């Protein structure tokens, strides 16, 4: 079963605009990660935020985490056509020495010229 | 270096056939995961290996699904007597000692 939901399900913006995606989850987490998936491809890791962190930046990406509300947001600034993809948040649960991921339902982002 | 590779990329099977999906993880990665992704959904966990040991198979949907990693590197996901509801993209991921997982391109299975 999916851990959480993402909002919106689909987002269409113009190049140069900012894109914000939200993720809600259900159980306590160790970390929350964001992944990108281009059509027909595997997932690519974007950024990880730990449960004791509130905000993290990586290039044009900004992630926030609110554990009291069990929610996270991903902001992509100055979007480009190449950012067109589906974006998934994923929470982890320890299994053995690694963490299995539980993904949200995804936001499909379309960036037009 | 090479990433995670999966084969075949596409597989069409008639209902009732057995299929075998292969995953070659990044060399040296101890942990290997299999996920199932239905159309328009996020991936869902199937099973996890640490080296050759299958430590978690709680996500396998039925006893028709079987996974192995006999030498701690290449892994095979086998589905017996395929059903239409098995149609999905099967993703493999590997990781070293960090939380970030490296995904392969997936195998798209279509059961007709």
């Amino acid at each position: 079963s999916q851990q959480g939901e993402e909002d919106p399900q689909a987002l269409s913006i113009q190049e140069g605009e900012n894109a914000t995606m939200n993720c809600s989850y259900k159980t306590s987490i160790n970390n929350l990660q964001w992944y990108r998936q281009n059509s027909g491809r595997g997932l690519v890791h974007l950024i990880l935020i730990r449960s004791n962190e509130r905000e993290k930046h990586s290039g044009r990406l900004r992630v926030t985490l609110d554990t009291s509300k069990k929610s996270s947001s991903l902001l992509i600034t100055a979007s480009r056509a190449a950012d067109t993809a589906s974006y998934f948040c994923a929470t982890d649960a320890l299994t053995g020495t690694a963490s299995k991921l539980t993904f949200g339902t995804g936001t499909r982002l379309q960036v037009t010229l | 270096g090479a990433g995670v590779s999966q084969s075949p990329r596409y597989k069409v099977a008639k209902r009732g056939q057995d299929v075998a999906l292969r995953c070659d993880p990044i060399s040296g990665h101890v942990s290997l995961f299999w996920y199932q992704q239905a159309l328009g959904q996020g991936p869902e966990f199937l099973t996890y290996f640490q080296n050759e040991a299958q430590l978690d198979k709680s996500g396998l949907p039925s006893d028709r699904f079987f996974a192995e990693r006999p030498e701690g590197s290449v892994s095979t996901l086998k589905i017996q007597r395929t059903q239409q509801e098995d149609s999905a993209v099967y993703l493999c991921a590997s990781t070293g000692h960090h939380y970030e997982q490296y995904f392969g391109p997936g195998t798209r299975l279509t059961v007709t």
Side-chain angles (χ1 to χ4, degrees), chain A residues 78-100:
Chain A
S79 62
R80 306 166 181 168
D83 295 330
T84 295
S86 291
Y87 291 82
F88 295 91
C89 67
T91 55
D92 63 23
L94 282 171
T95 177
T97 58
S99 293
K100 68 179 181 184

Side-chain angles (χ1 to χ4, degrees), chain A residues 1-2 30-31 33 35 37 40-45 48 50 88 92 94-105 108, chain B residues 9-10 30-31 33 35 37 40-45 48 50 55-56 58 89 91 95 99-106 108:
Chain A
S1 61
Q2 307 284 178
N30 295 315
N31 308 292
Q33 303 181 43
Y35 284 80
Q37 185 177 36
R41 300 284 191 89
L43 287 85
V44 175
H45 180 265
L48 177 151
R50 301 188 188 283
F88 295 91
D92 63 23
L94 282 171
T95 177
T97 58
S99 293
K100 68 179 181 184
L101 299 177
T102 303
F103 288 86
T105 51
R108 282 160 289 287
Chain B
R9 290 293 313 278
Y10 303 92
V30 168
S31 300
F33 296 81
Y35 295 88
Q37 186 175 23
Q41 299 294 313
E44 294 201 8
F45 171 81
Y48 157 63
Q50 182 181 318
L55 297 186
D56 189 334
S58 60
V89 175
L91 295 165
T95 185
Y99 292 104
E100 175 183 348
Q101 295 189 12
Y102 296 83
F103 282 80
R108 181 177 297 278

Side-chain angles (χ1 to χ4, degrees), chain A residues 46-71:
Chain A
L46 295 176
I47 193 166
L48 177 151
I49 186 165
R50 301 188 188 283
S51 59
N52 62 354
E53 295 177 312
R54 292 296 167 259
E55 187 171 311
K56 199 162 184 180
H57 297 254
S58 177
R60 294 184 296 113
L61 306 179
R62 173 178 169 255
V63 170
T64 63
L65 178 64
D66 186 335
T67 53
S68 67
K69 295 181 179 178
K70 291 187 170 58
S71 68

